[in-house]
Amino acid sequence: MAGQRFDGKVVLVTGAAQGFGLAFSRAFHAAGAEVALIDVNIDEAEREASELTAAGSGALAVRCDVSDEADARAAVDATVARFGRLDVLINNAGLHLTKYNQPFGSLGATELRRLLDVNVVGVVNCALAASQAMAPTGGGVIANISSIGGYLSTTPYGVSKLAVRGLTVALASELAPIGVRVNAIAPGLMATENAIADLPPGMVADFVENRQLIPRLGGVDDVVSMMLFLCSDSASFVTGETVRVSGGYPLGM
Ligand SMILES: NC(=O)c1ccc[n+]([C@@H]2O[C@H](COP(=O)([O-])OP(=O)(O)OC[C@H]3O[C@@H](n4cnc5c(N)ncnc54)[C@H](O)[C@@H]3O)[C@@H](O)[C@H]2O)c1
């Protein structure tokens, strides 16, 4: 991704073992950052961290369930212990499979709590732990992952991602005094392996042909380039925003 460099910066990515989180970790590392890969899937995170370390600047894997406040703090502490500081948090870990897009009446309270614990409380846990670590060095950047589902919020998943948009504004306000910017990206339908495998037949074609303005399937690179921009000094006057990267669906005033 041309232009954005993160040499000397430390970046923590949640949900880093696969999909968007893995792509963010690789992109920040390639741009010069030291990267902490945080995931419940520690085996994959460790494998990737070893490969990144062999290829350049440092990388660290930490097992962490973001819905657990103590886990989130421990992951941030381990990152600072290893790299000495924390500059960027990517709040990417999330539950998003089709089962969370069924009606509230079908999902049940146990699954609903788990969804909100990971997608909403997890963002707060990591943001608060990370911002405390950022404060001593003058601040930093937090980027959350919402979804276009957060604009069409008729399902439990959509409501969880609407909450992420709200949290982005709330945390931007709360953390501005310590120099932390907070923004979000709302990806559209994207070709991450897990998402595509889970979708009902015909949904991708319907999005691309009938709903988007730009008639191609979005890919991780589309989101990675926006992420690098939002976390860089080029976006130093941008906070509290959710940016849709969705080929123009859904537009609205
Ligand atoms: N793929 C899409 O089309 C799409 C579109 C819009 C938004 N999103 C959002 O982007 C994010 C990543 O999506 P993806 O497609 O890469 O997902 P994915 O399922 O491929 O990867 C998610 C990662 O998060 C980890 N994870 C899950 N729960 C966790 C927890 N409690 N603590 C720590 N790690 C946990 C998983 O182990 C996995 O490695 C999610 O927040 C998702 O809602 C995805």
Side-chain angles (χ1 to χ4, degrees):
M1 302 299 154
Q4 317 293 354
R5 294 294 306 173
F6 292 86
D7 303 284
K9 302 283 187 190
V10 178
V11 179
L12 187 157
V13 182
T14 72
Q18 63 179 53
F20 283 140
L22 179 57
F24 296 142
S25 303
R26 288 176 175 169
F28 278 106
H29 190 265
E34 291 174 308
V35 179
L37 296 94
I38 307 304
D39 209 292
V40 284
N41 182 353
I42 186 62
D43 291 346
E44 274 305 303
E46 270 176 350
R47 199 189 50 71
E48 182 65 21
S50 302
E51 284 189 15
L52 290 179
T53 304
S57 55
L60 167 74
V62 184
R63 197 220 162 265
C64 163
D65 179 341
V66 296
S67 70
D68 185 299
E69 194 180 0
D71 263 19
R73 277 186 201 289
V76 168
D77 288 349
T79 303
V80 174
R82 172 71 173 272
F83 298 124
R85 57 186 290 137
L86 179 60
D87 302 286
V88 176
L89 163 68
I90 310 298
N91 258 324
N92 164 79
L95 301 176
H96 60 86
L97 297 183
T98 298
K99 81 171 174 186
Y100 300 111
N101 280 308
Q102 60 182 305
F104 282 93
S106 316
L107 186 63
T110 303
E111 293 281 18
L112 176 60
R113 279 201 193 91
R114 183 64 189 151
L115 175 70
L116 297 177
D117 270 350
V118 176
N119 288 13
V120 183
V121 179
V123 168
V124 177
N125 286 341
C126 294
L128 294 183
S131 60
Q132 281 178 12
M134 291 169 179
T137 54
V141 183
I142 296 174
N144 302 324
I145 302 293
S146 178
S147 167
I148 53 165
Y151 293 82
L152 306 159
S153 310
T154 56
T155 68
Y157 176 74
V159 169
S160 78
K161 292 300 184 178
L162 174 62
V164 173
R165 291 174 55 207
L167 276 176
T168 300
V169 175
L171 291 169
S173 307
E174 190 166 327
L175 302 179
I178 58 167
V180 176
R181 294 191 295 113
V182 185
N183 291 296
I185 295 175
L189 187 64
M190 290 285 169
T192 66
E193 214 173 298
N194 211 4
I196 289 295
D198 180 59
L199 292 176
M203 188 166 167
V204 170
D206 178 43
F207 259 74
V208 170
E209 290 160 22
N210 304 324
R211 304 196 196 200
Q212 295 173 188
L213 300 182
I214 299 169
R216 69 167 172 83
L217 181 60
V220 286
D221 287 351
D222 295 306
V223 178
V224 165
S225 55
M226 179 58 73
M227 181 60 78
L228 293 176
F229 167 72
L230 284 176
C231 295
S232 74
D233 289 343
S234 302
S236 63
F237 201 51
V238 180
T239 194
E241 299 289 349
T242 297
V243 181
R244 279 174 280 197
V245 178
S246 61
Y249 174 77
L251 285 186
M253 302 285 283

